[in-house]
């Protein structure tokens, strides 16, 4: 009998990264074991923490981190700094100093290779558009690169390459997991605000929203494309969901809902069933 190699794959999705933590809590409680972790954007940040501490205590600490997170901790808007960015044509709206401080304060390890589970952080080469998979070196710099939303944060130079948000090349890197030898892939998506009455207001919020929608559609295509090559199980996203990827005010609610819905998903055979969950397909709600 062939050996099963299980990969945990975490998608990006801004503030909806809180959903992933609730999902992970339920998966860990169920006793599922992973052989490697692959993450992009906010999924890389969650993935790095989980890979370092892949147990109930680690998930509890990650949940506490998310509960204390505010929009300003990630997106520190300043009128003066924004005007400076425009006047100097610097190519990005926000400095990454707040995000860097956040990552540095929260990460349990300094080097990617020091995590308990093998960790692969997805970034995008700004010049070629190719996916760049990082598995060694500074975890802080790799995560800053994977979360460097185009036009919002500056690119990060690593090994003489300019790297940006991993979601540009592959927000849910199923192909990477399979190329690393995974025969079973468990995807932890963020979902999207299917019940939001209106799109978010503001350049950064709208950019995040658009990137999130693109990534969820890409995920659906990739599940269908790579289904013949591995057993792919997608944890069902929350639905209906009235939180945008720029809304950090519903974190505790998202954690609890995701935990409960993932418990139900497991009980109903989610870790056996393959295919695209209905809640991941493009849809909206007229009422919530």
């Amino acid at each position: 009998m062939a050996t099963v190699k299980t990969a945990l794959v975490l998608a990006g999705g801004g503030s909806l990264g809180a959903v992933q933590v609730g999902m992970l809590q339920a998966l860990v409680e169920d006793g599922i074991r992973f052989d490697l972790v692959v993450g992009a954007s906010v999924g890389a940040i969650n993935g790095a923490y989980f890979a370092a501490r892949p147990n109930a205590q680690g998930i509890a600490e990650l949940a506490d981190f998310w509960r204390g997170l505010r929009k300003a901790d990630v997106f520190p808007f300043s009128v003066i700094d924004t005007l400076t960015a425009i006047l100097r044509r610097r190519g990005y709206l926000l400095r990454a100093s707040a995000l860097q401080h956040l990552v540095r304060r929260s990460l349990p390890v300094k080097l990617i290779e020091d995590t308990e589970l093998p960790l692969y952080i997805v970034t995008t080469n700004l010049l070629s558009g190719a996916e760049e998979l990082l598995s060694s070196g500074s975890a802080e710099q790799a995560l800053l690169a994977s979360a460097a939303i185009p036009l919002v944060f500056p690119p990060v130079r690593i090994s003489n390459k300019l790297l940006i948000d991993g979601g540009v090349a592959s927000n849910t890197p199923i192909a990477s997991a399979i190329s690393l030898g995974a025969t079973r892939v468990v995807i932890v998506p963020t979902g999207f605000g299917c019940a939001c009455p209106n799109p978010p207001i503001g350049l950064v919020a709208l950019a995040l929203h658009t990137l999130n929608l693109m990534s969820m559609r890409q995920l659906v295509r990739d599940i269908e494309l790579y289904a013949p090559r591995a057993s792919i199980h997608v944890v069902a996203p929350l639905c209906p969901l009235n939180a945008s990827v720029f809304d950090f005010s519903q974190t505790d609610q998202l954690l609890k809902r995701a935990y409960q819905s993932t418990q139900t998903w497991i009980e109903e055979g989610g870790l056996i069933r393959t295919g695209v969950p209905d809640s991941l397909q493009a849809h909206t709600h007229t009422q919530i």
Side-chain angles (χ1 to χ4, degrees):
M1 181 179 295
T3 302
V4 175
K5 187 174 183 179
T6 303
L8 172 66
V9 175
L10 301 100
S15 61
L16 298 183
V19 171
Q20 295 177 324
V21 183
M23 292 175 170
L24 287 172
Q25 184 181 5
L27 290 171
V28 169
E29 282 189 6
D30 191 63
I32 183 171
R33 303 288 181 181
F34 299 101
D35 298 297
L36 68 150
V37 178
V38 186
S41 198
V42 74
I45 296 175
N46 283 337
Y49 204 107
F50 180 75
R53 296 178 179 173
N55 50 51
Q57 180 61 33
I59 292 299
E61 293 172 359
L62 184 57
D64 286 341
F65 163 75
W66 271 95
R67 288 189 184 98
L69 203 57
R70 300 294 178 266
K71 188 186 299 183
D73 295 327
V74 184
F75 305 104
F77 287 102
S78 163
V79 174
I80 294 177
D81 190 47
T82 301
L83 287 174
T84 300
I86 295 171
L87 293 173
R88 293 186 177 179
R89 301 179 182 178
R90 71 183 182 195
Y92 57 91
L93 289 174
L94 302 176
R95 299 182 188 277
S97 52
L99 182 59
Q100 183 175 21
H101 174 73
L102 192 69
V103 168
R104 186 175 297 171
R105 177 169 58 86
S106 62
L107 265 185
V109 297
K110 291 187 176 180
L111 298 176
I112 301 173
E113 57 265 39
D114 287 344
T115 54
E116 185 172 326
L117 296 177
L119 171 65
Y120 300 88
I121 296 173
V122 181
T123 68
T124 302
N125 188 308
L126 180 57
L127 294 180
S128 69
E131 177 182 295
E132 299 281 353
L133 209 58
L134 305 179
S135 58
S136 63
S138 168
E140 176 187 313
Q141 289 300 300
L143 292 176
L144 287 176
S146 188
I149 304 163
L151 304 180
V152 178
F153 291 121
V156 177
R157 186 176 293 276
I158 298 178
S159 299
N160 207 34
K161 296 178 181 178
L162 281 176
L163 305 177
I164 59 171
D165 196 317
V168 174
S170 182
N171 194 64
T172 309
I174 300 172
S176 296
I178 293 175
S179 70
L180 291 166
T183 57
R184 183 188 188 209
V185 179
V186 177
I187 299 171
V188 181
T190 56
F192 60 100
C194 56
C196 289
N198 299 294
I201 298 173
L203 290 175
V204 175
L206 196 56
L208 274 169
H209 173 74
T210 304
L211 190 61
N212 179 238
L213 291 180
M214 290 171 57
S215 67
M216 291 304 104
R217 302 286 65 74
Q218 180 190 59
L219 172 56
V220 170
R221 292 192 299 270
D222 285 354
I223 292 168
E224 296 168 347
L225 179 63
Y226 292 101
R229 298 180 56 184
S231 178
I232 301 174
H233 310 277
V234 188
V235 180
L238 294 180
C239 180
L241 180 59
N242 68 342
S244 78
V245 292
F246 203 58
D247 180 4
F248 288 83
S249 68
Q250 301 187 46
T251 297
D252 193 56
Q253 180 184 354
L254 293 177
L255 286 167
K256 292 175 180 177
R257 282 188 63 196
Y259 169 66
Q260 293 167 353
S261 69
T262 304
Q263 282 185 316
T264 301
W265 177 81
I266 293 170
E267 291 168 0
E268 294 178 349
L271 289 168
I272 300 173
R273 187 172 55 251
T274 57
V276 181
D278 290 340
S279 55
L280 192 59
Q281 300 284 5
H283 69 280
T284 58
H285 299 268
T286 55
Q287 295 181 353
I288 58 172

